[in-house]
Amino acid sequence: MTDKSMNTQQSIPASSGDLRIGAGSSLFLFICWWLLAWIFGAVIITKTGSSTVSLLRLSIVLQDVIIFILPAVMTALLIARRPWGFIKVDKTPGAISSAMVLLTILTAIPAMNMLVKWNEGLHLPESMAALENFLRDAEASAGATISMLLGEVGIADMLISVLLIGILTGIAEEVFFRGALQSILRCLFRNHHLAIWTTAFVFSAIHMQFFGFFPRLLMGAFFGYLVWWSGSLWLSVIAHAVNNSLVVLSMWLIKTGRMSTDINSVGTTGTPVSIALVVGSIILTALLIYLLHRSRSFKS
């Protein structure tokens, strides 16, 4: 399918006509499915354990499939007249739009790194010091989990981590958040901006990483607008998978001694060159997002 043949979803608001049942009931059913899947998945993952790299990798697969993909697909099958169209997996993007998304993710790195650094520097009130310590420990634990997933320093270990954390997690979370939740909220709110930002907020909050909340919120909104503009979930999957994969690849390159500077530190040193990189990153990223929005590849 060419870029030019992509649908015109950006001009067609979601309506309750997409659903077999009401939007409110659809949201309630989706939440129920997710809670059941979360409980079931938590039991299975707990029994599986994560004491070794292999078991940890298996738990990631189970989490993505049971907790994210399964409730989204089951809900769509039950509530939507066209389930695959409802979660936007029935149309594939073309090469031009995919390349533009990839370039946008790469161009945004310095600006996002600066935002991450600012977010990490936030502090809760003194009375909430215990909560802040808990949240920072949770984020450190998440980073340690990714490092453990890398296993040894072989290329095969890196590729497996990219497959799991980059591609599989990218697909699973996009199907759940942008595919199911955002589509239901669009029917409920009848306002795609509100649906996109609400989904982005939930997406960021559910990661339970307060000191990365705002960068993840903006990233989630970007993913949401990609789906809205193109009518295809696969552009947001590409963006999500590339973003996650870059984190994995950066950690692997540092762990193996192939790179001494973390990609996440680019643009955060405060030097004139670093500031110029951030400013340039903001301008170019904004331009690319504008071009994506106006792209003919999103119009028939």
Side-chain angles (χ1 to χ4, degrees):
M1 180 178 292
T2 63
D3 278 324
K4 201 169 183 177
S5 66
M6 292 181 66
N7 71 353
T8 56
Q9 289 274 337
Q10 71 174 69
S11 60
I12 304 174
S15 70
S16 58
D18 297 329
L19 302 173
R20 299 178 187 274
I21 61 177
S25 299
S26 297
L27 180 60
F28 177 74
L29 182 61
F30 177 60
I31 293 172
C32 288
W33 270 118
W34 178 73
L35 289 174
L36 288 173
W38 188 87
I39 293 170
F40 177 71
V43 171
I44 297 298
I45 292 171
T46 299
K47 289 184 176 297
T48 301
S50 57
S51 57
T52 66
V53 173
S54 297
L55 289 176
L56 182 58
R57 288 170 175 169
L58 177 59
S59 70
I60 294 295
V61 174
L62 293 173
Q63 172 184 283
D64 286 341
V65 173
I66 297 175
I67 298 179
F68 290 114
I69 295 177
L70 185 60
V73 172
M74 288 298 295
T75 301
L77 290 172
L78 290 173
I79 70 173
R81 301 183 187 281
R82 296 183 305 108
W84 308 125
F86 186 75
I87 59 176
K88 306 294 186 295
V89 296
D90 61 335
K91 290 181 172 61
T92 55
I96 295 176
S97 52
S98 299
M100 289 178 68
V101 167
L102 174 60
L103 184 59
T104 303
I105 292 295
L106 295 175
T107 302
I109 289 175
M112 290 300 291
N113 286 348
M114 182 58 71
L115 182 59
V116 168
K117 183 178 180 180
W118 169 80
N119 200 165
E120 289 176 342
L122 294 179
H123 292 280
L124 297 177
E126 190 68 30
S127 60
M128 303 175 70
L131 176 59
E132 178 173 337
N133 291 334
F134 171 79
L135 292 172
R136 291 193 183 278
D137 288 343
E139 298 209 14
S141 177
T145 298
I146 296 176
S147 181
M148 181 179 176
L149 275 169
L150 285 172
E152 302 299 327
V153 295
I155 294 178
D157 293 283
M158 182 270 291
L159 292 176
I160 291 173
S161 297
V162 167
L163 179 63
L164 294 180
I165 303 174
I167 299 174
L168 180 59
T169 297
I171 293 173
E173 293 190 355
E174 289 311 299
V175 168
F176 183 88
F177 290 103
R178 258 60 64 174
L181 180 58
Q182 182 170 300
S183 296
I184 294 172
L185 291 179
R186 282 176 59 199
C187 293
L188 182 65
F189 297 149
R190 303 294 185 90
N191 183 308
H192 62 271
H193 295 296
L194 184 57
I196 287 169
W197 283 98
T198 301
T199 301
F201 181 89
V202 175
F203 167 71
S204 187
I206 210 169
H207 281 80
M208 296 297 291
Q209 293 177 315
F210 172 78
F211 299 100
F213 180 85
F214 291 103
R216 191 172 285 108
L217 174 69
L218 291 184
M219 190 71 72
F222 174 59
F223 297 160
Y225 279 106
L226 286 178
V227 176
W228 168 245
W229 293 334
S230 69
S232 172
L233 187 73
W234 298 110
L235 277 185
S236 67
V237 168
I238 290 171
H240 198 148
V242 169
N243 181 73
N244 287 8
S245 297
L246 285 173
V247 174
V248 172
L249 182 59
S250 175
M251 292 183 69
W252 180 78
L253 288 172
I254 292 175
K255 188 173 183 177
T256 58
R258 290 176 169 85
M259 185 172 73
S260 58
T261 302
D262 186 352
I263 192 174
N264 295 318
S265 67
V266 175
T268 63
T269 59
T271 63
V273 173
S274 176
I275 294 172
L277 275 175
V278 172
V279 172
S281 173
I282 293 172
I283 294 172
L284 290 176
T285 301
L287 176 61
L288 284 168
I289 291 175
Y290 174 77
L291 292 176
L292 276 167
H293 172 50
R294 303 291 298 175
S295 176
R296 292 180 181 178
S297 66
F298 290 161
K299 300 176 176 64
S300 60

